[in-house]
Amino acid sequence: MHLALLTLLSCNKHGSDGQEQTPLEPTTGTPPTLCEVDEQVLTPHCIQCHDGVVQPLDLRVAGFAGRVVDQPGDGGTLVVPGNAADSLLVQRMSGALGVMPPAGALSPDLQALVAAWIDGGAVSQCEQSVPFEPEAPHSYARKVKNLLTGLPLTEGELLDVQADHDNLRGLVEAWMDTPGFESKMSEFFGTAFQQAELQTPLEIIGQLRYGDSLNNTRFPPQMHENIAESFARTALRIVQEDRPFTEVADTRQWEMTTAMMVWLLASDVVNPFRNTRIADRPRGGQLSDYYDDDPSLYHTFWHDTPPEGLGSNPTFEEQMAAQAWYVPVPCDILPRVTMDQAEVLGLLAGGLGLVCDPWFDEAVLQPADYRDWRTVDLTRLDDPAEAIPFWDVPELRTRSSIPLAVNRNGFFTTPAFLAKWRSNIDNSFRVVANQALIAALGAGFDSEDSTIPLTSDGLAEEHAAEGTVCYDCHKSLDPMRNFFTNELDPDFSAPTNDPQFVQPSFAFRGHTASGDDLLDLGRAIATHPDFAAAWVQKLCFYANSQPCLQDDPEFLRVAQAFEDSGFSFETLLLELFTSPLVTAHALVQTHEQQATLLSITRRTHLCQALGQRLQTDPFCADIVPNERPTTRGGGRTLALAVPDDEWGRAKETPSQPATPNLFVGVTMEALCLDAAAVFVDRAGAPLRSTDMEASLTFLVEELAGLNPADPRAADFRADLDEHVAAARALVDDETVLLQSAFVLTCTSPFVASIGL
């Protein structure tokens, strides 16, 4: 049983209505196979919705075991091998937890079929009706290059692989030294490390002890982008420097901009007033007229009349010392006096509220401060006198290290990770700790884990009864969350006002480690024996849209090669992306139990490929605006309707919609229509209606990625020629004809699917 089940059921074995589940009648005889269940139940009754797109739960047979068997669902465990009565899948089909499918309950015979399969052990092997056929070089080499760079396979590269499969290794090494590889891996790391894609300031503002209210505080979108990108860039640097990839768990060198350094220092300030704010900000007068508190807690922003102690034309150094900032634009909300870290940061980021224009001065973050990426050492602040004020922007522009009161190390202490998995006083970082394990080690807390923790300190009293399902998880979970609660306030993920040390303990899947702080937690994760296999599996999902079998000898070989290399991520990529696990050029155990999956091209792959091939980056953000207002505020591009990889709370496998359906088809067509209008006859673009021959060649070889040595290229070119000829009989406009050919190519399986 997993953490999600504990949370949802409040530590009981009842359904969502609190009633005991009625056991199904036991089944007898030879259990049915997953193939039979798929043929009679899943395909005809379930996957039209449960394809991972319409509904997140993906019930397609390919990769079924990794997504469904022993996995937590909304109100229980989806499939419990050997126990149909306790399986959420059966409970939903029987009507015990609401009827599925919604159109009407399955017949008793079909329900019994599913129950019999589960009671028989839920064996997930589904014998293939078609014998395994190895993939050809034009298919698998094209797939590998697309995954690593987003670029099409060239004729010379294909000829090399056709001559000798081993030549693929040299090509992979070359592809890993390209800008496309950097872009693809940055996207992969951002998803794999669960770094929040911040849509609104509300998701991050709490770390400045600002609750969930923005008032007039504004941050430019570049600030949120910096926070979301920081650790992906950090992981990429570790790869490019060929450092042990285990450093992602304990590194104290992050890629940061000046703007993000300002943010991180602002969140590092221990505010004695917690979330207290000045409710009624006065206008005019002097600081001393309104406050009897310590003046060092406040900042003043003024335009006409400087506060006491400042001359009429103070230097920046004088302003900083007095925390009184001259604003060189008139504004009817000035002067403003505030003690809010969030508001001070917002003001220094250039915003003075909705009624003022942005202002620019030495003290204010400039556009370049969001682009000056560099490696920054995060040191521990032992002497408060060495602290750097977060508002000293000129100083931070020169820094390559900053001292912090809180340990910031690895992916799980980033503002982005803590924003994605926000905590509170009741949860107290339990979810954060569990997600950290899932992100690094591919698994979360499980009641069947018999590892004995080194201490029970911090174990919540309500979960301390031995022998209960709650205790089985919380015995390790609660002592592990102490790593976080010793340093961070659970409501804000910021330095705690009331530090109290409770001894932490790391105990997970046979591995124990002692320690005191977040750096020790990172080291425990980095040395866990499951680390290598977890990252092989993450890349299997990335490459194949389904898991590899972890007991496959080829899987074990790749994991061992990764570990033996000192955890070189480039070695892992080289071994896995030339392996039959990804290429399917030879039969391995994984292929004996699941068919190779041809997936739709999800958003990350699609945007990268179109951007690389059409020579515009980022494609989806800048080329296809089609903005629509959302309840979260701001705009949403059409490309965001394309499904993408996502990690859910307590989910040990990613959500990866892979099956084409009406929604995906309509979105792809709309996106391609918009792109055609942008790129055809665009200045400097390779698609020119005045040179139809060259343009159609570009569509085949570059956009579709079918070079002349690919046996499918000639047929696809013939289809395009036929399409243009037929359309020309109806339309006397070469631009429209080329746009139509573009859409046909863009919506073809060579673009809309990955793995072909």
Side-chain angles (χ1 to χ4, degrees):
M1 186 173 293
H2 295 258
L3 184 64
L5 184 57
L6 298 179
T7 309
L8 292 166
L9 296 187
S10 301
C11 302
N12 65 56
K13 295 184 179 180
H14 296 78
S16 59
D17 57 0
Q19 301 299 314
E20 290 281 351
Q21 300 302 317
T22 303
L24 296 179
E25 292 298 320
T27 55
T28 60
T30 303
T33 66
L34 177 59
C35 288
E36 293 175 275
V37 173
D38 178 53
E39 181 180 353
Q40 299 184 48
V41 179
L42 300 179
T43 293
H45 299 288
C46 303
I47 65 170
Q48 59 263 46
C49 289
H50 286 284
D51 61 353
V53 179
V54 181
Q55 294 292 333
L57 176 59
D58 188 346
L59 295 179
R60 292 171 299 114
V61 69
F64 186 89
R67 293 189 303 272
V68 179
V69 176
D70 269 332
Q71 296 300 311
D74 187 8
T77 300
L78 293 169
V79 168
V80 182
N83 191 340
D86 281 353
S87 297
L88 181 61
L89 186 65
V90 170
Q91 294 169 7
R92 296 303 300 271
M93 290 179 175
S94 68
L97 292 177
V99 177
M100 280 289 170
L106 297 175
S107 69
D109 288 345
L110 292 181
Q111 293 183 40
L113 177 73
V114 176
W117 168 68
I118 296 175
D119 282 334
V123 177
S124 299
Q125 180 173 351
C126 186
E127 295 183 7
Q128 302 179 43
S129 58
V130 179
F132 173 81
E133 293 185 9
E135 293 291 341
H138 64 261
S139 178
Y140 69 75
R142 179 180 181 274
K143 169 187 176 181
V144 170
K145 187 175 185 182
N146 188 17
L147 288 169
L148 291 177
T149 70
L151 291 167
L153 191 69
T154 68
E155 183 177 14
E157 291 167 341
L158 177 53
L159 292 173
D160 282 347
V161 182
Q162 287 175 333
D164 187 345
H165 168 78
D166 288 344
N167 289 336
L168 182 60
R169 294 180 68 89
L171 293 175
V172 168
E173 290 177 327
W175 295 336
M176 289 192 293
D177 191 27
T178 63
F181 173 78
E182 294 183 10
S183 185
K184 290 283 281 191
M185 284 298 100
S186 292
E187 292 281 356
F188 169 72
F189 289 139
T191 301
F193 287 114
Q194 303 178 23
Q195 303 295 297
E197 183 178 338
L198 303 171
Q199 300 291 333
T200 75
L202 289 177
E203 294 175 326
I204 192 73
I205 196 73
Q207 293 180 33
L208 300 178
R209 299 181 178 276
Y210 211 58
D212 287 327
S213 174
L214 291 176
N215 292 331
N216 286 329
T217 300
R218 295 186 298 170
F219 303 102
Q222 294 93 325
M223 180 73 82
H224 308 127
E225 292 166 5
N226 282 183
I227 291 170
E229 291 177 18
S230 172
F231 201 79
R233 289 174 175 266
T234 300
L236 182 63
R237 174 182 52 78
I238 290 172
V239 172
Q240 292 175 326
E241 294 178 355
D242 202 26
R243 302 185 63 81
F245 194 66
T246 51
E247 289 186 6
V248 296
D250 60 7
T251 182
R252 301 194 68 175
Q253 291 185 321
W254 289 1
E255 297 303 299
M256 300 176 67
T257 63
T258 296
M260 187 175 169
M261 292 166 71
V262 170
W263 176 280
L264 201 58
L265 284 169
S267 70
D268 198 58
V269 174
V270 178
N271 186 342
F273 293 93
R274 281 176 60 91
N275 197 32
T276 303
R277 299 195 308 274
I278 300 170
D280 204 6
R281 295 176 178 84
R283 302 176 183 177
Q286 299 295 331
L287 183 69
S288 58
D289 295 339
Y290 300 98
Y291 304 107
D292 296 326
D293 305 84
D294 180 358
S296 68
L297 297 175
Y298 304 101
H299 290 252
T300 304
F301 293 82
W302 55 279
H303 174 64
D304 292 322
T305 306
E308 292 179 3
L310 283 181
S312 59
N313 189 26
T315 65
F316 169 76
E317 289 75 13
E318 291 171 335
Q319 294 177 55
M320 193 183 74
Q323 296 175 194
W325 310 99
Y326 168 68
V327 181
V329 293
C331 183
D332 65 5
I333 65 170
L334 295 177
R336 174 177 292 196
V337 182
T338 180
M339 60 176 278
D340 289 328
Q341 292 145 249
E343 188 172 36
V344 173
L345 180 55
L347 294 169
L348 295 180
L352 281 170
L354 301 178
V355 297
C356 294
D357 294 325
W359 56 288
F360 301 95
D361 195 66
E362 184 181 7
V364 183
L365 289 168
Q366 304 292 330
D369 295 323
Y370 299 94
R371 300 191 298 266
D372 57 351
W373 290 99
R374 58 194 181 275
T375 303
V376 178
D377 288 308
L378 307 178
T379 63
R380 190 62 187 260
L381 178 64
D382 295 319
D383 182 357
E386 297 177 357
I388 303 174
F390 71 84
W391 55 85
D392 193 350
V393 176
E395 171 65 17
L396 291 173
R397 291 187 180 115
T398 71
R399 301 285 301 196
S400 59
S401 68
I402 52 174
L404 298 171
V406 167
N407 276 305
R408 295 280 188 172
N409 55 272
F411 68 92
F412 57 88
T413 65
T414 66
F417 189 84
L418 295 171
K420 185 173 180 66
W421 307 115
R422 292 180 65 181
S423 190
N424 54 49
I425 192 65
D426 294 324
N427 184 270
S428 292
F429 295 107
R430 290 188 179 101
V431 168
V432 176
N434 192 58
Q435 293 300 142
L437 297 177
I438 290 173
L441 304 176
F445 287 99
D446 189 324
S447 62
E448 297 180 3
D449 185 354
S450 60
T451 309
I452 304 300
L454 301 177
T455 179
S456 61
D457 291 3
L459 176 60
E461 183 177 351
E462 62 269 27
H463 302 309
E466 294 191 29
T468 65
V469 68
C470 290
Y471 173 79
D472 289 339
C473 280
H474 283 273
K475 71 179 189 298
S476 296
L477 172 57
D478 285 8
M480 194 179 295
R481 65 167 174 163
N482 296 342
F483 286 109
F484 292 93
T485 58
N486 282 343
E487 300 195 56
L488 298 173
D489 186 315
D491 280 332
F492 301 104
S493 297
T496 179
N497 292 329
D498 184 24
Q500 295 182 0
F501 181 80
V502 181
Q503 182 62 54
S505 168
F506 182 95
F508 185 66
R509 293 171 66 91
H511 181 63
T512 59
S514 60
D516 297 331
D517 56 28
L518 289 166
L519 185 58
D520 292 327
L521 174 60
R523 290 167 177 159
I525 291 173
T527 56
H528 197 285
D530 288 352
F531 187 90
W535 283 92
V536 177
Q537 192 66 282
K538 286 180 187 294
L539 285 170
C540 281
F541 276 110
Y542 174 77
N544 300 332
S545 302
Q546 61 184 0
C548 300
L549 296 182
Q550 291 201 202
D551 58 355
D552 187 329
E554 178 65 7
F555 182 100
L556 298 175
R557 181 196 70 79
V558 173
Q560 191 63 52
F562 179 36
E563 187 171 344
D564 290 346
S565 70
F567 296 99
S568 165
F569 197 79
E570 288 192 348
T571 296
L572 170 57
L573 289 172
L574 180 62
E575 295 299 328
L576 182 61
F577 280 68
T578 59
S579 162
L581 291 170
V582 169
T583 65
H585 73 279
L587 179 64
V588 292
Q589 184 175 320
T590 292
H591 304 321
E592 293 175 349
Q593 299 197 22
Q594 63 185 28
T596 302
L597 176 63
L598 182 64
S599 169
I600 62 169
T601 304
R602 289 182 295 279
R603 183 170 69 245
T604 296
H605 292 303
L606 179 68
C607 294
Q608 291 282 345
L610 292 178
Q612 294 282 343
R613 299 175 190 199
L614 295 172
Q615 301 165 19
T616 181
D617 186 30
F619 171 84
C620 290
D622 295 343
I623 304 303
V624 192
N626 195 21
E627 292 188 355
R628 296 175 298 174
T630 69
T631 56
R632 296 167 63 83
R636 181 180 294 265
T637 68
L638 176 62
L640 289 179
V642 179
D644 204 4
D645 296 3
E646 293 182 359
W647 289 89
R649 174 170 166 163
K651 300 296 185 182
E652 296 180 350
T653 59
S655 171
Q656 292 184 303
T659 306
N661 58 32
L662 178 62
F663 300 99
V664 173
V666 168
T667 300
M668 278 295 299
E669 183 178 6
L671 187 147
C672 292
L673 281 167
D674 282 1
V678 171
F679 285 102
V680 172
D681 287 338
R682 181 184 184 182
L687 295 170
R688 310 296 299 175
S689 62
T690 54
D691 191 347
M692 188 67 73
E693 173 65 23
S695 295
L696 294 180
T697 299
F698 178 88
L699 290 178
V700 174
E701 296 184 11
E702 299 297 325
L703 186 58
L706 302 175
N707 64 69
D710 191 312
R712 301 164 295 184
D715 286 343
F716 188 68
R717 174 58 190 264
D719 289 341
L720 280 184
D721 288 338
E722 182 180 350
H723 174 80
V724 171
R728 186 172 278 121
L730 302 174
V731 178
D732 185 21
D733 187 326
E734 293 295 295
T735 297
V736 173
L737 293 177
L738 186 52
Q739 288 176 344
S740 181
F742 179 98
V743 173
L744 180 63
T745 306
C746 183
T747 56
S748 73
F750 302 113
V751 176
S753 66
I754 194 162
L756 185 64

